[in-house]
Amino acid sequence: MAQQILMADEHYKELDKYLKDSGHRTILLVCGNSLSRLRINDYFDSLEDRLGIRVVKFSGFQPNPSYESVVEGVRLFCHEGCDAIIAVGGGSAMDVAKCIKLYCNMDHAVSYLKQKITPNDVDFLAVPTTAGTGSEATRYAVIYHNGEKQSVDDESGIPAAVLFDASALETLPEYQKKVTMMDALCHAIEAYWSVNSNEESQAYSKAAIQAILANKQAYLNNDKIGNANMLRAANLAGKAINITQTTAGHAMCYKLTSLYGIPHGHAVALCVAGLFPYMIDHLEQCIDPRGEAYLAEIFEQIAKAMNCANARAAANSFRELVKELALEKPVASGRDYEVLKTSVNSDRLRNHPIKLEPETIDSLYHKIIQG
């Protein structure tokens, strides 16, 4: 079923209609601490008085949320008799809400991580407060149990509806807007060249790339229409990556985030800037079963979407965008390069269309960060 898209106006009329039509009585609102600073907070505070729909807020989680937080969210959902979930926030709020949705009908006496996910009809609506992750359009969630990353992946975790509220982006710091935008752009580019791409994902990627670049300046200027269009673009990129999964850009960026404390979007932008020209120069290392000529054509399609003359110009344009946004390279020290080259998730490399040996990854890291 296609995801329903709602647009926020001053009085949230579309959201009112959606909730009235659904017949919900008690909503679990999964939200970050930033909710109190957003215009939509007043909407939820007045919802019971206006429409008779009770709102139970759950914000008991941190970035990189724990399994235990999800368990508490499931307990609250069941104890309060909730019949729907709304997530307002970034990737962490979305991940927690997805897991609550997936786990709420499971055996609560057994670890949810050990049970098979059974789809349910609990309504789930997402309100993204950044234009970057596209998490509201994907089946993926990440939580942590005993310090170990747990990847949750099920189609039934995708929200049935999304509300785009441009006002939620108005209070974001400029740097955060930059790095979340680049996360969305990298999603779109990686999905385009992924070995798992198809006509549908490539259409999403093309539309996302064009929308991101066309609205970049208006979005960074905090223009209302620019913000709204960037939310749509990030959603399109999320739809693309939901089909293809991420590639080497993401596989290589995660350790940069933990090692140097830079945000995910910053790290992945640096990695894609390093990978892009290398891939163009090494098409003979193509491992996409559709072949080298096919991959060369994909790079030309990406270039066209970026309004560039050819693939080389597109790679240069991406690198210049990273510089324009002042996304600086971190400085390596000690054994950093050795740590980095052994940190890459080989599963994600299987989605990457160019073969990357360990020595190649090491060489790329020497270009991605400063020695």
Side-chain angles (χ1 to χ4, degrees), residues 130-167:
T130 64
T133 68
S135 181
E136 76 283 353
T138 73
R139 64 185 187 270
Y140 310 114
V142 173
I143 55 176
Y144 288 81
H145 184 47
N146 296 328
E148 295 294 323
K149 177 182 174 182
Q150 306 293 321
S151 296
V152 182
D153 176 354
D154 195 88
E155 288 286 339
S156 61
I158 301 174
V162 176
L163 174 73
F164 291 147
D165 183 5
S167 71

Side-chain angles (χ1 to χ4, degrees), residues 74-87:
V74 173
R75 187 202 66 77
L76 187 64
F77 178 91
C78 297
H79 181 264
E80 296 291 339
C82 299
D83 53 15
I85 299 170
I86 295 180

Side-chain angles (χ1 to χ4, degrees), residues 15-35:
L15 183 55
D16 263 1
K17 184 178 186 307
Y18 179 89
L19 295 176
K20 288 177 184 176
D21 292 347
S22 69
H24 299 317
R25 306 312 306 163
T26 304
I27 291 169
L28 182 70
L29 180 61
V30 181
C31 53
N33 294 327
S34 64
L35 178 65

